[in-house]
Amino acid sequence: MKNTQHPPGSFGLPIIGETFSFVIDPYNFANERYQKYGPVFKTNLLGRPTVVMIGTEAIEFLLSSHMEYFSWREGWPQNFQTLLGESLFLQDGEEHRRNRRLMMPALHGPALANYVATMEKITADYLKQWEKQQEFTWFEEFKKLTFDIASQLLLGTNSASENSRLSRLFTQVTNGLFAINPLVLPFTKLGKAIAARNQILEHLALVVKERQQNPTKDAISLLVQAKDEDGNSLSETELIAQAVLLLFAGHETTTSMLTWLCVELARHPEILQRAREEQLQFVNKGALNLEQLGQMPYLEQILWEVERLHPPVGGGFRGVVKDCEFNGFHIPAGWQVLYSIFVTHRLEQIYPNPESFDPDRFSSQRQENKQSPSGLIGFGGGPRVCIGIAFAKMEMKIVAAHLLRSYHWEILPNQSLDPVRIPTNHPKDNLRVRFSPL
Ligand code: HEM
C-alpha cells in the first residue's frame, strides 16, 4: 500500500501557521526543526502546508532527480508572481527550457569575455571614489557598483542619473517581494513596488525598441537577436520581463557576497595575506582577462567559503504538482516545498567545524564539497542552477582582485555585523569601513 504518512513537524497556528518565526530568522527556524525532526519536516508558511528539505539527498531529489514533481511558478509567493511577471524564474516545463536556451548565450562563453573590460573599468572608477571618501558604508556602495555593472552590461545604460533612478526603483521592487501586507495602496510596500515596476517596464520598453533597431554588445541586444531552433525569438513583452529579472537577480545577490567577502577578509588577516600573494603574479600584466581570472585558485576557494557561510539567498520555494515520497514520507500535491541553503551549508557531516571561515576546506587535498556534490548550493543546483553564476563569479573576482592588489580596509567600531537574512543576507549595519591604498 502507498505510504500516506506526512513528514513530522507542526502546522502551528491556524492560517498564519509558523510564518512569523520563519520571517524573523529563517536560519534558526529551519535549524531548530532540523535538529528535532531531521532532513524533512512539515510546517505551514505563508498560508500553505509546507515541507522543508535539508541536506544533500533532499536537495538532489528536489533540484535534480525528481524535479518534474515540482513547479517554480506554483512555489514562489504571490508577490514574486506580481513583480517578476512572466520571467524565467517563474516558468516551468517546455516554456522554461526554450527561454533558458535563448538566454544562455548572453551570460556565457564569448559574451562573458566581452564583459570583462567594462566590469574592470566600472570597478576602477568606484575604487578611485572610495579612496577619496576614505570612510563609507560598503553594502550601499557595492549595491551601486553591481547595479552599474548589471545595467551597463545587460541594458547598455550609460547615464549615471538613469542608473541611480533605476537602482532606487529596483530597491522598491525588492522590498515589495518580501512584503507581508498584501494590500496594494500607494503607501504600502507592495503598492510602491508595483508602481516602481511599472516605471522600470516603461524604461525597458524604450531600451528594447532601440536595441531592435540598433543592436550593440549588451545582453539585451543578444536577447533581441536570439532565435530558437524553429527560428522564433522572444517577443517584446517576453524580452522586457526577462530583462527585469536579470537586473533584479543580477545585483543584490552579488552585493551581498562581496560585502561578506570583505567582512571575512578583514577578520582573517592571514587569509587576506595569502590571497594578496596570489595576486602578485598578475601585477604589471595589464588589464585582466578570462584566462587570468581562471588562474586564481585560492580566491576561488575563498569565494566558495563565502558562498557557503553567507549565502545571499537562503533557500528556494517549489509547488508540489504530483504526489511524491521522500525518505518514506508522503508529500502531497498542492503543498509547497522549501529547500534550505543556509542549513545545508552548515551541516557538520559535510563541513566539519561548520561555523569557522576556512577556505582550505575547498583545497584540492580536502575537497569537502566533492564528497557531497549537492552540499554547496548558494547558486541553486541541477538543470536550473543560477543562469548568472559565471557572470557573478567573474564580477566578484574582478572586484576582489583589485581590492587585494592595492587596498587596505578596516571595519569601523561600534557597528553590528549580525546577519540580516531577508531580503538579501547582509550585516545589520551594512559594513562601515575605513579604506585606503596600500
Ligand atoms: C552571487 C550572486 C548570485 C547568487 C548567490 C544567485 C543565486 C541564485 C539561486 C540560489 C538561484 C536558484 C533559485 C531556486 O532554486 O529557486 C538562482 C537562479 C537564477 N539566477 Fe542567480 N544568483 C546570483 C547572481 C545572478 C546573476 C548575476 C544573474 C543574472 C545576470 C542571475 C540570474 C538568475 C536567474 C535568471 C535564475 C533563474 C534560473 C532558472 O530558473 O532557470 N543570478 N540564482
Side-chain angles (χ1 to χ4, degrees), residues 6 11 19 23 28 38 42 50 61 102 111 113 127 146 160 163 169 171 207 213 222 269 272 282 353 355 390 429:
H6 295 156
F11 285 136
T19 307
V23 172
N28 279 334
K42 69 169 183 282
T50 306
F61 179 88
L102 285 170
L127 291 168
T146 57
N163 266 351
L169 293 172
T171 303
V207 176
Q213 281 152 17
L222 297 178
L272 175 74
F282 304 109
N353 202 1
E355 299 298 323
D429 286 333

Side-chain angles (χ1 to χ4, degrees), residues 63 72 76 88-91 96 100 103 107 150 154 242 245-247 249-255 257 307 311-313 315-318 339 341 377-381 383-389 391-393 395-396:
L63 301 186
W72 272 244
W76 288 96
L88 201 66
F89 203 59
L90 295 163
Q91 290 171 328
H96 171 268
R100 188 166 165 119
M103 290 164 73
L107 294 163
L154 303 174
Q242 303 296 7
L245 170 67
L246 291 183
L247 274 183
H251 79 291
E252 295 254 354
T253 44
T254 319
T255 297
M257 255 184 85
E307 172 189 341
V313 180
F317 284 100
R318 301 286 182 270
Y339 74 97
I341 298 176
I377 43 165
F379 290 88
R384 288 188 69 159
V385 69
C386 174
I387 200 174
I389 184 170
F391 184 98
K393 290 210 160 182
E395 175 176 351
M396 292 188 290

Side-chain angles (χ1 to χ4, degrees), residues 312-348:
V313 180
F317 284 100
R318 301 286 182 270
V320 184
V321 288
K322 276 193 261 176
D323 281 10
C324 56
E325 201 179 304
F326 177 76
N327 262 13
F329 294 117
H330 175 63
I331 305 179
W335 286 27
Q336 68 182 356
V337 168
L338 169 69
Y339 74 97
S340 175
I341 298 176
F342 279 131
V343 183
T344 301
H345 281 181
R346 286 171 193 236
L347 293 177
E348 183 106 44

